[in-house]
Amino acid sequence: AHELTHALQAQHFPGLRVVPEAPGRLEAYESRHALLEGDADVVRIGVEALHAGRPVRRAILATLRSPPTEIAVTGAPRDDAEEGMLFPYAQGKRFVAAIYGAGGFALVDQVMSSKPPLRTSDILHPDRYLAGPAHRDLAGLNEIGMSPATSTSQGELGVFLTLTHVDVPRAQAFSLAAGWQGDVLSTTNDARVW
């Protein structure tokens, strides 16, 4: 069901096609990847429940029982690559399950067709995403006389990983990164600006 859902996504939501690491769009890539993987996994959960004779809604919403920090905080320390690989699957499933809980598959389809998440903080905090945009545009480097050569966004996931790199305990890093609402990491001819 998971892989079949990906085929259906490609047919019905072609604008969500994920292009890995487009320049300056890494955070948007991570967010869309999480949306697509989360949708496929939630459909898989629903199909398995249906075949087992269990209520589909209850099975999907059971995904939300574990706290969001459990996925990112427990277990052996992970490296950035492993953390990044797990993010779209673990957090994407929680995000789509929360969207489903708020409005069923009709709302999931609406999110996929017209307002996909753009930031990892949207994925990590579906309640904030559903409440509406609270993001700030931080790309005004030209206004202060700096012309970026390259720009990207670290996002909440990137901030979490950066904090764990400097030995901030995982639970504390997750808590500190939880309020992140946007950033721009730019390299100019003269400096790196975050």
Side-chain angles (χ1 to χ4, degrees):
H2 183 100
E3 297 305 326
L4 180 59
T5 300
H6 285 316
L8 292 170
Q9 290 167 344
Q11 289 177 0
H12 294 278
F13 308 107
L16 277 179
R17 194 173 67 92
V18 176
V19 179
E21 299 185 39
R25 304 289 296 158
L26 182 58
E27 188 176 22
Y29 162 77
E30 291 290 346
S31 301
R32 286 184 179 205
H33 189 192
L35 175 62
L36 293 169
E37 294 300 342
D39 179 51
D41 219 26
V42 163
V43 168
R44 176 194 57 81
I45 290 167
V47 168
E48 287 175 359
L50 189 63
H51 284 288
R54 294 181 289 126
V56 171
R57 183 172 177 79
R58 185 179 301 157
I60 291 171
L61 296 181
T63 303
L64 300 172
R65 286 196 192 125
S66 63
T69 56
E70 182 179 313
I71 295 166
V73 176
T74 61
R78 300 181 182 117
D79 61 21
D80 287 1
E82 185 178 3
E83 197 78 50
M85 287 183 341
L86 293 174
F87 177 82
Y89 299 93
Q91 299 295 354
K93 178 172 51 178
R94 289 184 54 76
F95 175 81
V96 173
I99 300 300
Y100 172 84
F105 282 118
L107 183 56
V108 173
D109 287 350
Q110 182 183 352
V111 167
M112 295 190 65
S113 65
S114 63
K115 54 180 194 174
L118 300 174
R119 294 176 167 75
T120 54
S121 63
D122 293 336
I123 299 296
L124 291 165
H125 308 284
D127 54 330
R128 291 187 205 164
Y129 170 83
L130 288 167
H135 306 295
R136 295 172 183 86
D137 181 10
L138 304 176
L141 288 176
N142 289 332
E143 295 173 16
I144 59 171
M146 299 182 88
S147 178
T150 62
S151 291
T152 191
S153 175
Q154 296 299 301
E156 187 171 336
L157 177 63
V159 170
F160 168 77
L161 294 173
T162 299
L163 291 170
T164 60
H165 264 276
V166 294
D167 297 326
V168 173
R170 293 174 68 79
Q172 187 177 3
F174 188 85
S175 178
L176 289 168
W180 203 255
Q181 293 193 13
D183 66 281
V184 175
L185 176 63
S186 293
T187 303
T188 69
N189 294 335
D190 302 321
R192 276 184 84 168
V193 179
W194 187 19

